[in-house]
Amino acid sequence: MLKLRSSRCGIICLSLLFLCVSAGSLSAAKRPNIILIMCDDMGFSDIGCYGGEVDTPNLNQLAREGMRFTQFYNNAKCTTTRASILTGLYPRFGKGGHLRQNMVTLGEAMKVAGYQTGLSGKWHLMKTKGYAKSEVPGGWLNRYDKTTHPFFRGFDSYYGVLDGCCNFFDPTISDPPYKRAGIRSFGRDAGAVTEFPQDYYTTDAFTDHTLGMIRRYSQTEKPFFIHLCYTAPHYPLHAKPEDIKKYVGKFKMGWEQMRKHRWQRLQELGLAGKNWSLSEGDSRSYDWDTANQDFEDLRMAVYAAMIDCMDQNIGRIRQTLNQTGQLDNTLIVFLSDNGGCSEEPGGRDPKVRHPGPKDDYVAVGPAWGWAQNSPFRRYKSWVHEGGISTPCIAWWPGKVPAGTINRSTAHIIDLLPTFLEIADTKYPETYQGHELLPLEGTSMLSLLKGENKTLHDSLAWYWSSNRALRQGPWKLVWDKDVKQWELYNIGDDRCEMKNLADNHPDRVQKMAQDWFTWADKVELGSKIKSK
């Protein structure tokens, strides 16, 4: 009898062991959650792990435990980047707009793959019927086209600003007359949001919505995909006083010296390659010696405080993932939608401009905007490296090798196919009765695993008359201020210091032809004034 009991006991123990092993195998094979975080108008070298002065311990930790990219490209502009990151396609510039029904969004594709989906923050892809900016909060929402609204394009939950960037403390405050944008529209799912609490701040609110989704989605067995789109540090320069206080006085070195300090740190961090160098001055920058240095220091201090607050909130996200048991099975990707911004609506007169509080509307301007992209040339809206290079961090425990730097060339159009491969699903040929445009991005999952490889034979860019084409190490650039083609060997000269156009006229001609072929494909048409 004793032997029988022992035998039964053994069988039970073996059965339990098998169940445990099986459960462990299933757990290991479980598809990961994905959180794609994109900030707005942040420069290449702003955050600590990319050489910046801003205190970003949470992003620095993601970098230490994950991977940093040195040649990850965006589209140089908010709207076009958002269109590409959502669709895996180059933006189309014709009458149909950037987001169409023959394109599938990340929300739609991941939802079909069995993921719970959500988007928090800036959308900026809305089309309206009879569009006119409203001076009534929520008024713009009444005229939206559902086919370009996030809640009707695959996201189970949405909260944020649907068009551009708003007042950080009170989104019911209209943009100033010189911006000519009226009141930005806020939405929650399909409805409008028109009231905000006294202690409101967009960066915190977008995070709060994200945390709510994580907690809610974690209660099911299905994985989740969340796209968090911060408006920080896009102007207006609005930040909390306690965050600003940390940085006042830290930028008295000026933009030229800040660029040199960052360049030194980029080398020390091992991010700068042997083919990098500190690019020379910018044609639109100011002279530091004659500037109001207290005002300029404050502008940059508020900008830094906005990034600091964002980093604090990214820490809250990691904490919530840990509390819900999701941390070890989540891929986090962080990047910026374009380079630092040179725009300066309202000017820079320190007598009338007051960076920080909600009752003014200030930007950093071209000198700081250029310096934020050290060591590269130019900034947002331009397609030199400063406009299109983004800091990009990928963190995925046990999958992305810790503390690594990947120098492969990749592009935002590659994110959708990457996430589909991770979700073990394929890009559809049709969606809801519409034949889809063929995918233009390529999965970069192999890069996330530590490989270095070439994903594209050619990449192209356009915004506001600025043009570029990269083929292998060669990059052709048209600067609207210069009005002629420039040619650079990025393999030898990443920072575009030596224009080789006169040395290789045949290459310039051939690459220019290839760029115009691409321009026809993306329906640029009348936007191109000359060939």
Side-chain angles (χ1 to χ4, degrees):
M1 181 67 74
L2 183 59
K3 285 186 178 180
L4 182 59
R5 285 179 179 173
S6 298
S7 176
R8 286 178 178 171
C9 225
I11 293 171
I12 291 170
C13 288
L14 285 172
S15 299
L16 288 172
L17 179 63
F18 175 77
L19 287 172
C20 289
V21 170
S22 298
S25 301
L26 287 171
S27 178
K30 185 180 178 183
R31 294 183 297 172
N33 309 306
I34 300 171
I35 299 180
L36 174 60
I37 305 173
M38 184 162 66
C39 63
D40 200 348
D41 285 12
M42 192 187 79
F44 179 81
S45 56
D46 279 326
I47 57 179
C49 53
Y50 274 82
E53 307 79 9
V54 187
D55 187 20
T56 54
N58 294 293
L59 286 169
N60 295 352
Q61 183 176 356
L62 292 179
R64 283 195 309 272
E65 298 174 358
M67 177 181 290
R68 283 169 292 174
F69 287 84
T70 64
Q71 291 194 89
F72 198 97
Y73 287 118
N74 54 51
N75 282 339
K77 184 67 175 179
C78 308
T79 49
T80 50
T81 287
R82 289 163 205 283
S84 286
I85 209 168
L86 282 168
T87 63
L89 302 166
Y90 287 113
R92 267 47 180 183
F93 294 89
K95 290 183 179 179
H98 293 322
L99 183 59
R100 309 176 185 182
Q101 289 184 284
N102 63 349
M103 305 171 178
V104 67
T105 72
L106 261 171
E108 291 165 333
M110 298 302 285
K111 195 170 181 177
V112 169
Y115 274 64
Q116 303 167 94
T117 62
L119 193 146
S120 186
K122 182 175 175 179
W123 178 247
H124 211 179
L125 291 171
M126 291 284 291
K127 270 197 320 185
T128 59
K129 305 167 185 175
Y131 172 76
K133 271 295 174 187
S134 174
E135 289 299 328
V136 178
W140 187 71
L141 193 59
N142 296 328
R143 292 185 294 278
Y144 69 75
D145 180 342
K146 284 187 177 182
T147 66
T148 59
H149 188 289
F151 188 67
F152 298 99
R153 291 306 303 261
F155 293 97
D156 298 323
S157 180
Y158 172 70
Y159 172 80
V161 58
L162 288 154
D163 55 324
C165 189
C166 63
N167 189 298
F168 281 70
F169 292 106
D170 185 355
T172 65
I173 295 177
S174 174
D175 286 356
Y178 50 77
K179 183 63 180 173
R180 302 191 304 276
I183 296 175
R184 305 291 184 168
S185 286
F186 249 74
R188 183 185 297 277
D189 295 341
V193 178
T194 59
E195 295 181 355
F196 302 88
Q198 282 289 106
D199 60 348
Y200 190 83
Y201 190 68
T202 51
T203 304
D204 297 337
F206 297 156
T207 306
D208 289 342
H209 181 248
T210 299
L211 302 186
M213 289 190 288
I214 292 171
R215 294 187 186 106
R216 188 166 67 252
Y217 293 166
S218 296
Q219 294 175 6
T220 75
E221 292 299 315
K222 294 172 64 176
F224 56 78
F225 168 76
I226 295 174
H227 190 15
L228 171 55
C229 303
Y230 287 118
T231 47
H234 192 295
Y235 64 82
L237 295 176
H238 289 162
K240 303 171 188 177
E242 61 270 24
D243 291 332
I244 298 172
K245 186 178 180 181
K246 291 172 60 175
Y247 296 98
V248 173
K250 290 195 173 182
F251 297 95
K252 288 291 186 71
M253 82 290 273
W255 34 78
E256 291 276 5
Q257 196 60 43
M258 186 179 87
R259 294 183 76 246
K260 292 176 183 177
H261 290 167
R262 291 187 177 193
W263 167 235
Q264 181 64 37
R265 287 192 290 268
L266 282 164
Q267 295 174 83
E268 293 169 357
L269 289 166
L271 286 167
K274 293 180 180 179
N275 60 333
W276 293 33
S277 55
L278 183 63
S279 62
E280 297 172 354
D282 185 81
S283 61
R284 300 172 69 242
S285 178
Y286 309 129
D287 176 60
W288 174 254
D289 291 335
T290 59
N292 184 314
Q293 295 180 8
D294 288 337
F295 174 74
E296 296 297 346
D297 171 70
L298 180 58
R299 287 210 284 184
M300 191 62 191
V302 178
Y303 174 89
M306 297 168 79
I307 297 174
D308 187 307
C309 182
M310 176 183 67
D311 184 82
Q312 294 172 43
N313 277 282
I314 290 172
R316 294 173 64 207
I317 291 169
R318 278 187 55 129
Q319 184 180 38
T320 302
L321 287 169
N322 188 44
Q323 291 169 348
T324 54
Q326 301 295 327
L327 188 63
D328 291 338
N329 193 42
T330 299
L331 164 64
I332 299 175
V333 177
F334 171 86
L335 73 162
S336 179
D337 64 348
N338 44 248
C341 180
S342 67
E343 297 168 24
E344 200 168 39
R348 63 181 185 118
D349 184 350
K351 295 178 182 178
V352 296
R353 299 271 73 88
H354 306 286
K358 69 179 180 181
D359 55 357
D360 208 340
Y361 195 97
V362 185
V364 292
W368 287 125
W370 160 62
Q372 289 158 8
N373 302 315
S374 177
F376 302 132
R377 293 177 59 187
R378 292 305 204 189
Y379 21 64
K380 174 183 177 179
S381 297
W382 272 256
V383 291
H384 284 84
E385 294 293 283
I388 60 176
S389 298
T390 182
C392 181
I393 303 169
W395 179 90
W396 189 6
K399 300 293 191 301
V400 171
T404 52
I405 296 172
N406 196 302
R407 302 188 185 278
S408 300
T409 302
H411 191 281
I412 49 173
I413 59 176
D414 301 327
L415 290 173
L416 182 143
T418 303
F419 297 158
L420 292 186
E421 184 175 2
I422 290 171
D424 195 25
T425 192
K426 294 184 178 180
Y427 182 76
E429 294 183 1
T430 62
Y431 182 76
Q432 292 186 347
H434 300 280
E435 186 175 342
L436 300 178
L437 292 174
L439 190 63
E440 291 165 339
T442 300
S443 173
M444 50 184 279
L445 182 57
S446 59
L447 304 187
L448 295 180
K449 292 179 178 179
E451 293 183 33
N452 284 276
K453 61 188 294 187
T454 300
L455 300 181
H456 299 276
D457 294 328
S458 181
L459 290 169
W461 294 267
Y462 172 85
W463 185 260
S464 186
S465 298
N466 295 309
R467 317 165 189 171
L469 181 79
R470 179 164 174 178
Q471 294 177 337
W474 293 99
K475 183 180 175 188
L476 191 70
V477 186
W478 179 282
D479 186 318
K480 65 181 180 182
D481 291 350
V482 178
K483 294 182 173 61
Q484 64 181 24
W485 287 113
E486 303 167 7
L487 180 68
Y488 300 96
N489 186 329
I490 298 296
D492 297 331
D493 176 24
R494 174 71 195 281
C495 299
E496 302 166 306
M497 298 285 283
K498 188 175 181 180
N499 181 6
L500 301 174
D502 291 341
N503 302 62
H504 302 277
D506 292 343
R507 182 178 292 278
V508 170
Q509 184 179 15
K510 176 61 169 63
M511 290 182 70
Q513 290 173 349
D514 291 344
W515 186 88
F516 281 104
T517 299
W518 173 84
D520 289 338
K521 177 182 179 181
V522 297
E523 306 170 18
L524 276 165
S526 61
K527 292 182 182 291
I528 307 170
K529 295 181 180 178
S530 64
K531 291 195 178 185

